[in-house]
Amino acid sequence: MVRETKLYDVLGIKPDATVEDIKKAYRKGALKTHPDKVSKDDKAAAEKFRAYEILSDPEKRKIYDQFGLEYLLRGGTSPPPPSPGGPGGIPQFMRNQTFPGGGFSTGGTRTSTFGYGGMPSFMPGNPTSIFEQFARQEGLGAGLDGFDFDFGFSSSPLGGHGPSSYSSSRSRREPPNGRSKTPETTVVEKPIAFTLEEIFHGTKKKLRVKRKTFDEAGKIQREDKELEINVKPGMKPGSKFKFKGVGDEIDGTKQDLHFIIEEKPHERFVREGDNLITTVSIPLKDALVGWSRKIDTIDGKQLTVRHAGPTSDKWQEVFPDQGMVLSKNPSQRGDLIVRANIVYPTSLTAEQKQKLKEILP
């Protein structure tokens, strides 16, 4: 039983929510309350940041659940209500001033000071830092869906916001030997989809990435970075285009961006390796007595497919060198495989059934 549910209500979750539930709830609303998109005086946004900061920290959440928000914010300036935790309701680990995990702070810019009986008081963190820490943990970039792109450099870029009014207080932990530790570069992966025709012929895609950096005063600055992806004919899904140091600045280093090729669903073809598969629908009558169809290849040629029948649902015909271009050898191609989908009638009259019994073996 928790003392109050205010912070849980802010995020729209229940008091028994898991860590993943808390992250999911924060992710859902964080884009609307991004530090760059709201005023620093926005109370609703501030409450969401505070709710996530407290509930995502196991120790702060434990204190909040037991004593409530006011007690956490004041650092225990008055004795809490009795509880099984110990004298005055203070848990054993608080009275000993020892905290699970080696400390009360979870890193970054979150700060704890000490008040009543060694009880840590909560100092709200910087909204930008909270968002950055969440984004870094989740492998995200400037927005919750990764980075913003302008394909073809449209006149209406996504997320085109100016410098933030928030300042960024950035800190680094020093290793035990006192030497400065180089921050680890994070990698953000972003899928980018192409049509089969684009992959077959090869194409170039121009992107505009809106990234976030910091000036000497620690304020957020947004700038555009223009990139170009050169898709070679026949490249396969999962192929990556890697750009070093073009993403958001986090802990003094700029993120690497990896764009991963995906294929858009095609109305006629399915790709399997270097082969293309297409399916023609054949009514049961044609499947039994024979049929002929015209089909288009991916490069616009027309082929005639026919079968004298009967045609089973496992039938297929292979047309060599009519599939996808081989990425390692563009002069060669895979196969085009044509398969049949037998379309059965949805109903038959008694007379039709009788005739089929007389005709079919």
Side-chain angles (χ1 to χ4, degrees):
M1 180 70 68
V2 299
R3 185 172 180 82
E4 63 180 59
T5 63
K6 180 178 179 180
L7 296 185
Y8 293 102
D9 295 340
V10 168
L11 293 180
I13 56 178
K14 296 181 179 180
D16 60 353
T18 65
V19 174
E20 289 304 315
D21 291 335
I22 294 170
K23 287 183 179 180
K24 185 177 180 180
Y26 179 70
R27 178 193 292 267
K28 184 178 180 181
L31 187 59
K32 296 180 180 178
T33 56
H34 189 290
D36 295 346
K37 296 185 178 181
V38 298
S39 166
K40 61 182 178 180
D41 298 322
D42 190 319
K43 293 182 179 180
E47 286 184 357
K48 284 188 179 293
F49 286 121
R50 182 171 65 180
Y52 173 73
E53 185 177 18
I54 292 174
L55 297 181
S56 65
D57 185 305
E59 317 314 331
K60 293 186 180 73
R61 182 181 181 184
K62 184 175 182 179
I63 298 169
Y64 169 74
D65 286 347
Q66 189 170 356
F67 303 121
L69 180 60
E70 184 177 354
Y71 182 76
L72 181 63
L73 293 176
R74 292 183 179 181
T77 54
S78 59
S83 80
I90 301 178
Q92 181 67 35
F93 72 86
M94 292 185 197
R95 290 187 283 113
N96 293 341
Q97 298 185 21
T98 59
F99 300 91
F104 191 77
S105 173
T106 59
T109 59
R110 299 184 184 185
T111 307
S112 297
T113 58
F114 291 84
Y116 172 79
M119 169 68 190
S121 65
F122 170 66
M123 299 290 291
N126 179 278
T128 299
S129 299
I130 296 171
F131 188 90
E132 282 185 358
Q133 184 179 27
F134 176 79
R136 184 165 61 251
Q137 290 173 345
E138 297 298 296
L140 304 176
L144 287 198
D145 294 325
F147 289 87
D148 300 327
F149 305 96
D150 275 337
F151 296 112
F153 300 98
S154 71
S155 59
S156 176
L158 296 173
H161 297 276
S164 171
S165 58
Y166 287 94
S167 62
S168 176
S169 174
R170 309 173 66 79
S171 62
R172 301 179 188 174
R173 293 182 179 180
E174 294 294 330
N177 58 13
R179 291 181 298 177
S180 178
K181 181 180 178 181
T182 303
E184 183 179 352
T185 300
T186 57
V187 175
V188 176
E189 294 187 337
K190 179 74 178 181
I192 180 168
F194 296 89
T195 65
L196 283 179
E197 285 83 359
E198 287 177 322
I199 297 175
F200 177 84
H201 295 287
T203 187
K204 291 183 179 180
K205 186 79 74 175
K206 290 185 177 181
L207 318 174
R208 180 161 59 186
V209 178
K210 292 197 167 295
R211 67 174 183 174
K212 181 172 57 181
T213 60
F214 294 87
D215 62 16
E216 294 181 358
K219 290 187 177 181
I220 295 176
Q221 302 292 321
R222 286 192 173 274
E223 62 183 29
D224 293 349
K225 186 73 175 179
E226 297 179 355
L227 307 174
E228 183 175 272
I229 290 178
N230 184 14
V231 178
K232 296 181 179 179
M235 290 190 78
K236 294 183 178 180
S239 300
K240 294 183 179 181
F241 295 91
K242 300 179 179 181
F243 297 89
K244 186 176 179 62
V246 299
D248 280 357
E249 181 181 345
I250 294 181
D251 289 339
T253 62
K254 292 183 174 64
Q255 293 175 320
D256 293 347
L257 270 180
H258 292 181
F259 294 97
I260 306 174
I261 286 185
E262 289 186 352
E263 293 173 346
K264 293 181 180 179
H266 198 279
E267 61 180 355
R268 290 182 289 118
F269 299 112
V270 174
R271 182 179 183 181
E272 288 188 1
D274 296 318
N275 298 330
L276 291 176
I277 298 172
T278 188
T279 302
V280 292
S281 295
I282 309 297
L284 177 60
K285 180 179 68 175
D286 292 346
L288 293 173
V289 301
W291 54 274
S292 177
R293 295 287 188 278
K294 298 284 187 182
I295 62 170
D296 294 325
T297 64
I298 194 168
D299 54 344
K301 298 177 183 177
Q302 198 169 72
L303 301 175
T304 300
V305 185
R306 60 169 60 93
H307 191 251
T311 303
S312 74
D313 55 3
K314 295 183 180 179
W315 174 91
Q316 69 177 32
E317 184 171 353
V318 178
F319 293 84
D321 302 321
Q322 295 299 321
M324 288 295 291
V325 172
L326 275 61
S327 59
K328 295 183 178 180
N329 191 348
S331 63
Q332 297 183 7
R333 293 173 62 176
D335 299 333
L336 173 61
I337 301 173
V338 182
R339 293 174 179 170
N341 173 41
I342 311 302
V343 181
Y344 292 84
T346 57
S347 63
L348 292 172
T349 65
E351 183 180 358
Q352 289 172 328
K353 291 179 181 179
Q354 183 59 39
K355 287 184 178 180
L356 286 174
K357 288 180 181 179
E358 294 173 359
I359 297 172
L360 295 175

